[in-house]
Amino acid sequence: MKKKHVPLLTLDPLSKLVSLFCAALLAMHWDEPLPLVVMLVALMLIARYGGGVSSGKLMARLRQIAWFGLPLFVLTALAVPGGPAVIEWGPFRLSGEALSYAAAVTLRVACLFLSSLIYIETTDPQDFVTMMTVSLKLPYRFAFGISMALTFLPLLEAEGKSAAEARKIRYGRRPRGPGERLRAWRGNLVAVFAGAVRRVEHTAGSMEAKGFGAYKARTFLRQVKVTAEGYALMIGSIAATAGLWFI
Amino acid sequence: MKDQERKGVSVFKAFTTLDIVLMAMLAAANAVMTVFLSQLNQVLNGIGGPIATSTITGLYMIYGLLAYYIIRKPGTAVITFGIGAVVQAFMGSAYGIASCFVAAACYIVVAEAVFALVRYRKWSLPVMLLAGGAMVPIWFFFAALMFGYIKWGTDILLIALVVRILSGVVLCGLLTKLLGDALARSGLLRRFAVVKREAQG
């Protein structure tokens, strides 16, 4: 089977991170809806054709962010004062200025979310860790902490779910009322943190037995290098941000 | 390679493998908790948008403060919140990757400042409550700039800030102290400062 070519997958995490931050800066700088609509459409196209995100997944994510953004839109429209009222309903009044700003803020959140989605979909966390050590010169012991957290995440999640299920079985039903729910939630919180702490000694011992931290530097099996395309993306992103800043 | 060696020696010398593993595990636990909280977060967001979600802000900061409470070494917040930010970024956040890093940077600055102020010697309840509450305002300022709260009316902004600070004090400061002491009593942390210093009196 022919593997689909995804352009952003071939780029290194650093150059994509610089582009992501440029997009985030622009999104936060603009407070008019129009440029943010253009940015959102551009990001959707990049996600679909540059990041290989399927249409179905893209739509699902956009629905998710719309559900999240709607209360932000309503609250911002109500909370921003100023301007003559366009709509008045009892104690609530909405001005044109407030509605425009609320739309811009909601679109901004959508742009931030979508640009991050593109990054996550096209970046291997292990490459990110390698980049932190090799390109950003951060100590590998710190960077390895990230690998470790990502490795243990599914395990701790499964353990947390088991603990929650066990608690439900003990009750014989789902927790009812705020008191029971709070107690159940507190139990889950303690189970997750205790489960994490319980593994610390074993894991640290195993790592030291394998020589972790014995040397001040380490090598990586997978090399992550910033290619010419990566540099071009970084320079292009910074130039585009500077150029679009005054729109 | 030499740069890597030099930095590794100067900044992270004090941290043992055990410390780093603990910080990583707590960051992972925080990520799991975020998954469990997402349903509650969605409900709160539906009820009152960012103001309602402010009530549980403190829960998202527990892991960093808990790591500090257990390890008690300068720089703990830098590593723990740093790891947490990257993990959170790769798990996906509705607010975007940039916000994960900015929030972590704000928490780092305040947590390091608070514990430096008490010279890493006081770990009482008032200090933990102070740290939990103090970690909120700087991130709130940046979040207000990033997500447009800055144009809200002053009264609504103040309500949101007060709610967040209270959440930081109670759900971060107080819970960290309770959780830290409970874990210390369990015997799981006998090789960490939280137990050693208690034993020394």
Side-chain angles (χ1 to χ4, degrees):
Chain A
M1 202 173 88
K2 197 181 168 190
K3 204 178 168 187
K4 201 169 83 173
H5 175 68
V6 179
L8 286 176
L9 270 178
T10 59
L11 288 168
D12 65 284
L14 183 62
S15 51
K16 282 184 284 185
L17 192 66
V18 170
S19 297
L20 174 88
F21 278 115
C22 286
L25 271 177
L26 269 183
M28 286 183 276
H29 174 66
W30 287 328
D31 50 13
E32 295 287 331
L34 188 61
L36 287 160
V37 169
V38 175
M39 183 187 244
L40 186 63
V41 172
L43 286 170
M44 283 164 69
L45 292 173
I46 293 170
R48 180 74 191 92
Y49 299 106
V53 181
S54 67
S55 305
K57 190 172 189 176
L58 192 60
M59 285 304 130
R61 296 298 191 196
L62 285 173
R63 271 197 300 275
Q64 189 185 338
I65 197 62
W67 168 245
F68 179 81
L70 192 65
L72 179 68
F73 174 82
V74 174
L75 188 69
T76 308
L78 290 170
V80 173
V86 179
I87 305 165
E88 260 187 292
W89 186 53
F92 303 110
R93 63 186 295 282
L94 299 172
S95 67
E97 195 187 317
L99 283 171
S100 164
Y101 187 68
V105 165
T106 310
L107 285 163
R108 180 187 293 172
V109 172
C111 288
L112 292 174
F113 176 78
L114 202 53
S115 56
S116 303
L117 176 75
I118 297 169
Y119 191 80
I120 296 164
E121 288 288 325
T122 61
T123 307
D124 184 335
Q126 291 308 326
D127 286 348
F128 187 89
V129 170
T130 310
M131 175 206 82
M132 288 180 84
T133 311
V134 176
S135 306
L136 302 181
K137 309 289 180 201
L138 287 168
Y140 79 85
R141 293 168 78 218
F142 160 69
F144 203 82
I146 296 166
S147 292
M148 206 187 313
L150 289 168
T151 307
F152 276 96
L153 198 78
L155 199 74
L156 292 178
E157 195 177 344
E159 201 174 75
K161 276 183 185 157
S162 301
E165 291 301 322
R167 207 159 284 112
K168 266 186 225 163
I169 291 168
R170 208 172 305 140
Y171 275 122
R173 55 176 167 76
R174 281 173 173 271
R176 284 179 204 148
E180 262 187 26
R181 277 174 212 268
L182 198 68
R183 274 193 296 277
W185 188 84
R186 191 186 59 191
N188 291 346
L189 177 81
V190 173
V192 169
F193 277 96
V197 172
R198 197 162 44 83
R199 289 191 171 80
V200 170
E201 279 199 40
H202 270 121
T203 312
S206 311
M207 284 165 67
E208 281 183 344
K210 287 182 176 178
F212 179 79
Y215 302 98
K216 282 169 187 157
R218 62 169 288 170
T219 53
F220 291 89
L221 184 63
R222 263 171 77 167
Q223 294 297 318
V224 180
K225 283 184 181 163
V226 184
T227 56
E229 289 90 345
Y231 283 114
L233 179 69
M234 280 193 267
I235 294 166
S237 303
I238 294 167
T241 306
L244 292 168
W245 193 258
F246 298 102
I247 284 182
Chain B
M1 202 70 126
K2 280 198 173 160
D3 274 352
Q4 195 183 320
E5 284 177 22
R6 199 173 55 239
K7 280 189 179 174
V9 170
S10 60
V11 185
F12 295 97
K13 197 174 144 189
F15 293 99
T16 63
T17 304
L18 200 66
D19 295 335
I20 293 170
V21 174
L22 178 79
M23 291 187 272
M25 289 295 190
L26 290 180
N30 174 66
V32 172
M33 198 188 64
T34 306
V35 173
F36 288 151
L37 279 175
S38 62
Q39 222 176 347
L40 175 65
N41 199 43
Q42 275 176 7
V43 172
L44 288 172
N45 188 50
I47 295 168
I51 292 189
T53 54
S54 293
T55 54
I56 55 166
T57 299
L59 291 174
Y60 297 100
M61 311 186 299
I62 286 182
Y63 73 106
L65 207 57
L66 184 60
Y68 227 130
Y69 185 69
I70 294 170
I71 297 169
R72 304 186 177 186
K73 289 177 187 171
T76 304
V78 178
I79 306 178
T80 315
F81 282 120
I83 295 173
V86 179
V87 173
Q88 201 71 42
F90 276 100
M91 280 184 66
S93 160
Y95 296 102
I97 287 177
S99 71
C100 297
F101 289 108
V102 177
C106 295
Y107 297 154
I108 287 168
V109 169
V110 178
E112 292 295 345
V114 168
F115 293 118
L117 213 67
V118 294
R119 297 184 177 190
Y120 312 98
R121 283 179 193 156
K122 289 183 183 167
W123 303 93
S124 58
L125 182 63
V127 173
M128 299 310 288
L129 296 182
L130 172 73
M135 277 157 75
V136 171
I138 299 184
W139 166 232
F140 182 73
F141 172 74
F142 280 100
L145 286 177
M146 290 170 84
F147 306 113
Y149 314 155
I150 204 87
K151 283 201 180 177
W152 290 359
T154 319
D155 44 351
I156 300 177
L157 261 180
L158 279 175
I159 291 170
L161 178 62
V162 170
V163 169
R164 281 189 183 214
I165 291 176
L166 285 175
S167 174
V169 169
V170 178
L171 295 182
C172 180
L174 180 65
L175 263 184
T176 297
K177 177 80 176 146
L178 295 176
L179 200 56
D181 289 345
L183 287 170
R185 280 195 300 274
S186 73
L188 290 167
L189 302 172
R190 59 185 183 279
R191 288 174 65 189
F192 291 96
V194 63
V195 173
K196 284 181 189 169
R197 290 199 195 165
E198 297 288 326
Q200 283 165 6

